[in-house]
Amino acid sequence: MPAPGTTKEDLQLLLRYFPEVPLPVTVTDSSRDAFEQQWEGEVPDEFTEYLPGFHFRTKKQFGMVYWKAALLQYTYVLVLLDPDGVFLDRLVLAETDATSGTIRQGAAMISEDFEIFMVESALDATDIIGDPTQTITERWIITDEGRFRETEGK
């Protein structure tokens, strides 16, 4: 059920900020440079910024990716909405986080089959070269019900 007062027209207006892209698509630390629209909504504080990214369609949902910048933390988030604009699920795709003594950086790829492959590595802020044994990989799928489910395998 949509939020009170929202319509399918509201969803179409929102999607104008998020250009549709074909899959596969890759999200990396530099993907933000391709985001053209500026968010005109409220932000929680003066250190936080949002940029609408893009959207794609699954069999039954819309996937929307946005970029959130906070102090020393940049995050790409994928949100799933049903055709009426009702929120279904949310997943952090990739991020760069330098809020501690470690710098974490990730990337993700969304395939035509709605699989999400994510990789993240960490680098000690005092090191020049990271430790590849500390790389984390994850694989997720978007279910027909509009949920993210982690799967095994490569």
Side-chain angles (χ1 to χ4, degrees), residues 110-126:
I110 307 167
S111 76
E112 296 107 335
D113 298 324
F114 312 116
E115 292 179 295
I116 302 165
F117 299 91
M118 299 175 0
V119 62
E120 182 180 289
S121 62
L123 175 69
D124 186 295
T126 61

Side-chain angles (χ1 to χ4, degrees), residues 115-117 137-141 149-154:
E115 292 179 295
I116 302 165
F117 299 91
T137 59
E138 296 178 15
R139 181 178 173 207
W140 295 76
I141 60 168
R149 183 174 48 121
E150 191 168 8
T151 63
E152 295 191 22
K154 306 259 185 232

Side-chain angles (χ1 to χ4, degrees), residues 4-5 12 18 30 32 43-44 46 50 66 81 94 96 108-109 111 122 129 131 143:
Q12 293 308 312
F18 296 82
S30 63
R32 181 196 79 74
V43 294
E46 68 223 44
Y50 293 93
Y66 66 89
L81 303 173
T96 299
M109 191 273 292
S111 76
I129 300 174
D131 181 355
T143 67

Side-chain angles (χ1 to χ4, degrees), residues 54-73:
F54 58 87
H55 85 272
F56 61 90
R57 297 173 191 259
T58 70
K59 297 172 191 164
K60 300 179 182 179
Q61 302 95 19
F62 293 98
M64 294 179 14
V65 173
Y66 66 89
W67 180 76
K68 176 185 175 188
L71 197 58
L72 300 174
Q73 187 176 29

Side-chain angles (χ1 to χ4, degrees), residues 11 22 25 40 48 53 58 73 75-76 82 86 95 101 103 113 118 120-122 131 140:
L11 175 61
V25 64
E40 298 173 8
T48 304
T58 70
Q73 187 176 29
T75 307
Y76 293 93
D82 77 4
V86 175
E95 67 183 333
I103 300 170
D113 298 324
M118 299 175 0
E120 182 180 289
S121 62
D131 181 355
W140 295 76

Side-chain angles (χ1 to χ4, degrees), residues 61 80 88-89 142-148:
Q61 302 95 19
L80 293 178
L88 300 171
D89 210 349
I142 300 173
T143 67
D144 288 340
E145 295 76 32
R147 303 281 183 233
F148 297 110

